[in-house]
Amino acid sequence: MTRILVTGGAGFIGSRFVRHLLDTRPGVRVTVLDKLAYSGVAANLDPVADRPGYRFVRGDICDPAVVAEVMAGQDAVVHLAAESHVDRSITGADAFVRTNLTGTQVLLDAALRARIGRFLQVSTDEVYGSIAAGAWTEEQPLAPNSPYAASKAGADLLALAQHRTHGLDVVVTRCSNNYGPYQFPEKLIPLFTTRLLAGRPVPLYGDGRNVRDWLHVSDHCRALALVLDGGRAGEVYHVGGGTELSNRELTGLLLAATGTDWSLVRRVPDRKGHDLRYALDGGKLRRELGFEPTVRFEAGLAATVDWYREHPSWWQPLLERAALA
Ligand code: NAD
């Protein structure tokens, strides 16, 4: 697969994935389709702007004309474009339904018409709801609780239906929480880090007992590349991190990493419908494609905090864009 369309390539994970493709696949041709919504940052792709084989198209995945144009001649699609922030989906689900459902179907239809060889639908552990103990396998029924998770679950099902009904070669990945550089500063780790570095208070939901599994974005991108090449059509693959932390534990690590203390932590009312715990069984991806995370959480988190410390010119303008200032 040498010609790859990446949707949402100006976002946190998408930009890392585009850099990964261009760094690891000589001769690859990568087209990014991104509408530069509030979380899309053109500068995330500056490091590859002059690379041969790279092309950026500003456009909306819900627009069939632009999608048909960029789809022509591609070998594969890696679909990351999405509305991705749970809190925003609780205050307004419309954009989530539009981009995550309508946009995904527009892409799937265009991919079928253009006879694309592989469509990788990038999804999330949140589609399963909440699990008190143990870990989900890929056979777990979907039971999403937030509008974000529901829209991602719907998108996954539309993608799998396109495979079963029309024979499009579709694979789905579901990953746990990502962290790393270039994450939009409304998500927990960059939000807390940037505020703590400025000596400002941070909001901790409820009692902080909610547990998430964390994976470095570079490991997620390696997993996506493995599934793109070797995943079986019609299958779902979990990408688990293996580092489970409650939000309270994570907050403690971020306070230590930024040299601050609990006096800056403000308890705020819990998020509506807040899932208590997510946990993925990553055994299928390990067995079939040999995937193991390589970034140890402690080292990855320290490097991530350092990156935000050293790049205020990247995140400060984004605080205003997200009305977080
Ligand atoms: P992000 O918000 O940083 O990036 C999303 C990108 O999509 C942005 O560049 C935005 O401009 C673009 N976009 C939004 N609507 C669009 C539209 N209608 N047309 C074209 N482009 C549009 O998100 P992210 O954290 O990088 O997540 C990327 C994908 O990975 C999402 O599908 C998300 O559900 C999934 N995912 C994320 C995580 C995580 O922890 N961040 C975990 C698992 C799965």
Side-chain angles (χ1 to χ4, degrees):
M1 278 176 279
T2 54
R3 292 161 301 178
I4 302 175
L5 173 64
V6 179
T7 71
F12 164 49
I13 301 169
S15 59
R16 184 71 179 224
F17 184 66
V18 168
R19 296 197 297 276
H20 178 84
L21 286 177
L22 290 163
D23 286 345
T24 56
R25 300 185 185 216
V28 72
R29 303 179 71 80
V30 178
T31 301
V32 168
L33 176 63
D34 195 299
K35 83 169 184 182
L36 297 180
Y38 79 93
S39 69
V41 183
N44 292 358
L45 291 163
D46 281 353
V48 296
D50 298 326
R51 297 280 283 273
Y54 166 74
R55 177 166 78 121
F56 180 83
V57 176
R58 185 172 188 176
D60 191 329
I61 60 166
C62 301
D63 179 344
V66 73
V67 167
E69 191 254 306
V70 297
M71 193 69 74
Q74 304 291 345
D75 298 317
V77 177
V78 181
H79 175 32
L80 295 118
E83 289 289 338
S84 67
H85 189 42
V86 176
D87 287 342
R88 287 179 186 267
S89 80
I90 292 168
T91 52
D94 290 7
F96 289 74
V97 172
R98 183 178 179 278
T99 288
N100 299 358
L101 290 168
T102 304
T104 298
Q105 190 61 47
V106 169
L107 288 166
L108 289 165
D109 288 341
L112 191 67
R113 275 195 294 274
R115 301 176 191 279
I116 298 302
R118 168 135 287 191
F119 189 104
L120 171 50
Q121 160 72 8
V122 180
S123 189
T124 166
D125 54 6
E126 304 197 23
V127 296
Y128 296 115
S130 188
I131 184 168
W136 294 301
T137 67
E138 286 82 354
E139 281 70 48
Q140 178 73 23
L142 307 188
N145 289 318
S146 72
Y148 163 66
S151 67
K152 291 296 293 186
D156 292 7
L157 296 177
L158 289 172
L160 291 167
Q162 197 84 343
H163 168 68
R164 294 190 191 113
T165 306
H166 297 294
L168 183 69
D169 182 320
V170 168
V171 276
V172 177
T173 55
R174 296 189 180 130
C175 188
S176 53
N177 275 27
N178 283 213
Y179 71 98
Y182 295 102
Q183 188 168 26
F184 197 80
E186 65 184 355
K187 304 280 173 70
L188 194 154
I189 288 181
L191 175 72
F192 278 30
T193 301
T194 54
R195 292 187 73 94
L196 292 172
L197 288 172
R200 300 177 64 191
V202 293
L204 182 63
Y205 278 132
D207 55 14
R209 279 172 54 244
N210 305 71
V211 171
R212 298 293 181 263
D213 177 48
W214 293 93
L215 180 71
H216 195 269
V217 62
S218 61
D219 279 327
H220 186 190
C221 290
R222 282 194 311 107
L224 293 178
L226 284 173
V227 174
L228 181 65
D229 292 336
R232 288 181 291 126
E235 295 290 320
V236 176
Y237 292 90
H238 285 170
V239 190
T243 302
E244 268 195 38
L245 291 169
S246 70
N247 287 345
R248 196 175 166 77
E249 289 169 325
L250 179 57
T251 300
L253 295 176
L254 291 171
L255 292 172
T258 54
T260 52
D261 61 44
W262 285 96
S263 64
L264 286 177
V265 179
R266 304 278 183 275
R267 292 269 289 270
V268 296
D270 207 356
R271 172 190 274 169
K272 284 185 182 174
H274 205 173
D275 290 326
L276 184 59
R277 178 173 174 267
Y278 303 135
L280 292 174
D281 181 332
K284 180 174 174 181
L285 186 58
R286 186 169 56 245
R287 284 190 303 277
E288 289 193 18
L289 298 172
F291 175 74
E292 294 285 353
T294 58
V295 181
R296 276 184 41 252
F297 184 77
E298 298 72 21
L301 189 69
T304 299
V305 171
D306 284 347
W307 188 87
Y308 286 99
R309 187 183 280 116
E310 288 157 14
H311 293 84
S313 61
W314 182 84
W315 52 264
Q316 267 163 352
L318 301 181
L319 294 181
E320 281 161 35
R321 192 194 282 192
L324 294 167

